Amino acid sequence: MTDSTQIREEFPNQVVEIEHTWIPLSDGIRLSARIWMPLDAVDNPVPAILEYIPYRKRDGTRVRDDCRHRYWAGHGYICIRLDIRGTGDSEGLITDEYALSEQNDAIEAIAWIAKQPWCSGQVGMTGISWGGFNSLQVAARRPPALKAIITHCSTDDRYADDCHWMGGCLLTDGFFWGSGFYHMMTRPPDPEIAGDGWFDQWMHRLQNWVPPTSHIWMNHQSRDHYWRHGSICESYDDIECAVYAVGGWEDGYSNAVPRMLANLHCPRKGLVGPWGHTYPEQGYPGPAIGFLQEGLRWWDYWLKGLDTGIMEEDMYRVWMQDYVKPSATLEHVPGRWINEPIWPSPNVETKTLYLDQSGLVANRRESTTIKHSSPQSLGITGGRWCPYGMGGSSPDLAIDQREDDGRSICFDGAILGEPLPILGAPTVNLRFSINQPQGLIVVRLMDVAPDGTSKRVSYGLINLTHKKDHEHIKPLVPDEWSNAEITLNDLAHRFAVGHKIRVAISTAYWPIVWPSPAPVNLSIATGDSTVNLPVRKTDGNEVLDFSIPEMAPVGKFRTIEPPFSSLSLSRDLAKGAWNQKLIEDHGIAHIEGINLDVGDGVTCEYSIKDDDPLSATAVWNWHTLRRRKGWDLNIQTTTCLQSTATEFLIETSIVATLAGKEVFRKNWDERLQRNGV
């Protein structure tokens, strides 16, 4: 939370908390729920808001749950945090994300909630990341009681715009998340909820993971039926309830917000702030906003029928960012809120610039050829694909890009004599050839300050074997000229007077993207290549703002070992090797309400040699501690990814101990064919 956050102790309704209750399903499985409700809800039923995720309501998301759900409950709602089947304290098994059974269970749970004596029969659904995903997916199934959702940091397209693939390129974030997802799902239910059978339930979970999810995902390297499932872009019309889509410019999922506004036909609103993968009221980089109040206006309108005026306001509100010197731990982004009544907006027009040997120019000049081959370590200044934030302290944002710019092909525009506000998704059309049957191209859009500092404001990727689409993989003919369009991430950024626009092009982006099987020599025809910028025609001074953040108090806990994060880079000059190490350790805390010590963290290590893409190695080590009197467990999991020219090599292992004694160990070692990646 920020220094200006107001912690609300008093609310219009007195709140009663139910630590645990069961929601029964038709197949006999029971899901574990934590509930906050107004004291008089049984006599005066109110709408319900459901958050449905696998991240352990009891000892995982407890702090943020208390802040959010107690707040809305205090304003007259039933708030329910439900563990997905096979996670946390819920019974059964989970073996993948966004399974059909997950949706079916949610539909049953919503029907159960709507029939309870304390519920008015009106239900909303919300969540961030996984909870944002399944809010959309469940909305597409149209359960009758579900009237509105708020989806944070999610996507409508599981292949094209999730952590696994970007432009058909393999994101290492998919393995960061995949290894972490596997690790989190190996944790047991709490014996205080599951009773004496908790150990057998834990062993059942561990023994039935075949294989870990990262291995599953790598069997689907193109946009096949696996990724179409759960992608609401397959049929936007399936969603009829009201949708509020929220994201952050530093998040990996911001593109989905304007895309859903453009394609959904239900009542909808969109909001994108300067934040990473976090809720707006806790937003980093700042400014954070009073989104719990904004959410309350949304719920009051759609679940209680109150005229809060929210649907009379403009459809799309975004933070138009100004230049700020890049930093791995940026705390605040200068700028202002702007509104667009509809999206796509008639207030945006395309400005086309040509790539030329002299830079970016307004008029086409004679075509020339520029050749380039990137060192494999290019990308080390790029930060994380999806900055998670750890409260703003994790060093996962892109830094000054000059080092990577110096190893790319760069095209600089003229020094700007007037501001240039960009709103939307830039595109780059390239006339190119490469010397390999497959490869990738990375395009970065930079704001270059007068002192030479280079800030990345957007980027895009394309796997060239996916040049036609993501379903039909086609190798290139080496050295044959071709055309490709690369769509960059949506942005709202105002280039200032005295600054320059820079377009940087490379054939590597490590460690965000897994490298091509062989070094790529790229040729670009300059006069036949362009960048198309979505320029906002109105650059007025809209006076728009949100309330300062309000929250309910967090659950009581005390720190035993403080959180710690670091990002370091080392280089072996003799071997041409680069090594990056990221530590995100959440420390150890004691949760007073359930008398439990909890500790979690991850160490990520990435290494590569500049002249050898097949030297790429990535390792993710996760650890978990849970401890109270009579219950002391530790879980360690490791995932390692390497590749040959034709295969991916994936190794995953787990070791679990109870009271210092090993109770489970397993290893997976798999080789999977590369399919144009």
Side-chain angles (χ1 to χ4, degrees):
M1 63 188 68
T2 68
D3 292 339
S4 62
T5 301
Q6 291 188 351
I7 303 301
R8 291 281 301 271
E9 299 279 358
E10 301 293 333
F11 298 100
N13 299 88
Q14 185 176 344
V15 177
V16 175
E17 179 185 333
I18 301 171
E19 176 66 26
H20 160 75
T21 193
W22 293 114
I23 294 182
L25 301 176
S26 58
D27 64 356
I29 293 296
R30 298 177 301 173
L31 303 184
S32 179
R34 188 178 179 212
I35 301 177
W36 300 256
M37 66 170 62
L39 178 63
D40 64 347
V42 173
D43 296 324
N44 297 286
V46 295
I49 301 167
L50 171 66
E51 184 177 8
Y52 174 60
I53 53 177
Y55 302 139
R56 303 179 64 89
K57 59 177 174 51
R58 188 160 166 85
D59 60 16
T61 60
R62 192 179 191 92
V63 171
R64 83 178 192 201
D65 292 344
D66 282 332
C67 295
R68 295 174 59 76
H69 293 303
R70 181 176 290 276
Y71 183 93
W72 283 333
H75 287 88
Y77 288 89
I78 306 291
C79 290
I80 302 167
R81 249 295 278 119
L82 186 62
D83 283 341
I84 288 173
R85 173 190 294 253
T87 71
D89 297 313
S90 288
E91 298 173 343
L93 291 173
I94 184 172
T95 55
D96 203 354
E97 57 181 4
Y98 317 128
L100 181 61
S101 61
E102 176 186 326
Q103 298 175 20
N104 293 340
D105 290 351
I107 292 169
E108 283 199 55
I110 288 170
W112 182 89
I113 291 165
K115 293 177 181 177
Q116 298 309 299
W118 34 256
C119 183
S120 68
Q122 309 292 298
V123 179
M125 198 168 175
T126 190
I128 187 171
S129 201
W130 191 309
F133 274 65
N134 65 23
S135 293
L136 289 167
Q137 294 161 3
V138 173
R141 298 285 302 277
R142 303 179 189 174
L146 185 63
K147 305 302 180 182
I149 68 172
I150 301 178
T151 175
H152 297 260
C153 302
S154 66
T155 188
D156 55 345
D157 191 329
R158 291 185 58 214
Y159 181 84
D161 220 0
D162 194 3
C163 65
H164 313 291
W165 309 95
M166 183 177 179
C169 303
L170 176 61
L171 295 168
T172 59
D173 245 51
F175 274 82
F176 171 84
W177 154 235
S179 61
F181 169 44
Y182 168 69
H183 180 83
M184 285 184 279
M185 298 313 108
T186 63
R187 299 170 187 168
D190 192 323
E192 291 188 350
I193 302 297
D196 293 340
W198 77 270
F199 184 81
D200 291 340
Q201 191 174 341
W202 184 27
M203 290 299 106
H204 188 53
R205 289 181 182 182
L206 293 175
Q207 292 162 1
N208 283 275
W209 272 103
V210 183
T213 42
S214 296
H215 300 239
I216 297 172
W217 300 334
M218 289 305 293
N219 280 286
H220 302 276
Q221 297 174 33
S222 61
R223 195 177 190 280
D224 59 11
H225 67 282
Y226 178 85
W227 302 110
R228 288 193 290 270
H229 166 75
S231 294
I232 66 154
C233 64
E234 294 292 307
S235 179
Y236 286 107
D237 288 344
D238 287 346
I239 295 185
E240 295 179 345
C241 73
V243 174
Y244 201 153
V246 183
W249 293 129
E250 292 292 353
D251 182 51
Y253 297 97
S254 56
N255 299 328
V257 176
R259 193 168 55 241
M260 287 192 286
L261 295 182
N263 289 284
L264 289 169
H265 296 101
C266 59
R268 60 203 183 276
K269 290 183 71 68
L271 169 71
V272 184
W275 320 296
H277 198 73
T278 188
Y279 283 114
E281 69 272 15
Q282 299 170 310
Y284 278 90
I289 64 170
F291 191 79
L292 291 182
Q293 301 98 296
E294 177 78 357
L296 188 61
R297 295 176 65 222
W298 177 259
W299 300 129
D300 282 351
Y301 185 94
W302 288 107
L303 302 184
K304 292 185 176 179
L306 302 178
D307 186 6
T308 62
I310 194 166
M311 295 311 293
E312 298 171 9
E313 299 169 359
D314 290 337
M315 178 185 289
Y316 192 30
R317 180 178 288 190
V318 303
W319 185 254
M320 175 63 75
Q321 303 185 115
D322 291 328
Y323 175 85
V324 62
K325 191 171 183 178
S327 168
T329 56
L330 187 64
E331 292 188 1
H332 183 88
V333 178
R336 69 189 192 282
W337 290 107
I338 63 170
N339 273 9
E340 291 294 343
I342 61 171
W343 191 263
S345 172
N347 194 32
V348 175
E349 63 183 11
T350 300
K351 178 183 179 68
T352 298
L353 298 172
Y354 290 85
L355 276 57
D356 183 76
Q357 279 194 325
S358 63
L360 299 175
V361 297
N363 298 305
R364 185 184 185 281
R365 298 177 182 175
E366 182 179 354
S367 180
T368 58
T369 299
I370 296 179
K371 297 181 180 294
H372 172 77
S373 182
S374 300
Q376 298 302 317
S377 61
L378 194 153
I380 57 171
T381 65
R384 296 267 293 281
W385 176 81
C386 185
Y388 289 91
M390 280 188 69
S393 64
S394 184
D396 48 12
L397 299 177
I399 60 174
D400 186 351
Q401 298 288 287
R402 280 181 287 188
E403 183 169 357
D404 281 339
D405 290 355
R407 303 192 294 166
S408 306
I409 309 175
C410 288
F411 301 89
D412 285 11
I415 295 175
L416 294 172
E418 59 183 24
L420 186 68
I422 305 298
L423 177 61
T427 60
V428 171
N429 296 99
L430 286 183
R431 179 73 175 164
F432 76 96
S433 69
I434 63 171
N435 67 327
Q436 300 288 343
Q438 67 184 84
L440 61 91
I441 292 177
V442 182
V443 179
R444 292 175 291 124
L445 181 67
M446 254 71 65
D447 183 338
V448 182
D451 66 358
T453 303
S454 179
K455 176 177 176 58
R456 192 190 71 196
V457 295
S458 185
Y459 70 103
L461 314 171
I462 187 170
N463 176 345
L464 295 171
T465 68
H466 291 227
K467 192 163 58 71
K468 179 182 177 182
D469 58 50
H470 295 308
E471 296 182 37
H472 304 93
I473 311 305
K474 184 179 180 181
L476 280 71
V477 177
D479 299 319
E480 180 177 274
W481 285 93
S482 184
N483 298 305
E485 181 178 81
I486 301 100
T487 301
L488 278 61
N489 290 330
D490 276 78
L491 75 156
H493 181 84
R494 187 174 182 267
F495 290 87
V497 172
H499 288 228
K500 294 190 299 184
I501 297 171
R502 172 175 293 162
V503 172
I505 300 174
S506 62
T507 58
Y509 208 42
W510 178 261
I512 291 177
V513 180
W514 198 259
S516 303
V520 171
N521 296 325
L522 171 68
S523 297
I524 295 176
T526 57
D528 299 321
S529 300
T530 61
V531 57
N532 308 293
L533 301 174
V535 178
R536 189 172 191 250
K537 292 184 287 185
T538 301
D539 189 29
N541 295 313
E542 294 103 325
V543 181
L544 305 167
D545 207 352
F546 290 91
S547 303
I548 64 172
E550 290 184 351
M551 297 180 197
V554 301
K556 293 184 178 180
F557 70 95
R558 58 180 170 83
T559 299
I560 298 173
E561 294 182 9
F564 169 76
S565 64
S566 69
L567 178 63
S568 59
L569 180 70
S570 62
R571 184 180 181 186
D572 188 322
L573 295 175
K575 296 180 179 178
W578 298 72
N579 300 282
Q580 188 181 102
K581 185 174 184 178
L582 172 68
I583 299 174
E584 289 189 352
D585 194 312
H586 295 269
I588 302 175
H590 179 79
I591 302 174
E592 294 187 8
I594 57 175
N595 190 31
L596 182 68
D597 296 343
V598 299
D600 303 290
V602 62
T603 299
C604 315
E605 298 184 76
Y606 307 94
S607 63
I608 200 165
K609 293 182 179 179
D610 265 336
D611 61 353
D612 183 10
L614 301 183
S615 67
T617 301
V619 181
W620 298 268
N621 286 294
W622 294 82
H623 67 268
T624 282
L625 172 151
R626 294 292 184 270
R627 183 175 60 205
R628 69 160 66 94
K629 185 177 181 180
W631 194 50
D632 185 353
L633 66 89
N634 284 270
I635 305 171
Q636 303 277 341
T637 62
T638 299
T639 296
C640 177
L641 177 63
Q642 295 178 301
S643 64
T644 69
T646 59
E647 293 180 311
F648 288 107
L649 315 177
I650 312 170
E651 298 178 11
T652 298
S653 64
I654 176 174
V655 177
T657 64
L658 183 64
K661 180 181 178 181
E662 184 177 304
V663 294
F664 186 83
R665 176 186 293 267
K666 193 163 185 178
N667 298 281
W668 292 265
D669 189 349
E670 192 167 6
R671 305 175 74 97
L672 296 172
Q673 288 293 312
R674 298 178 75 147
N675 181 20
V677 180

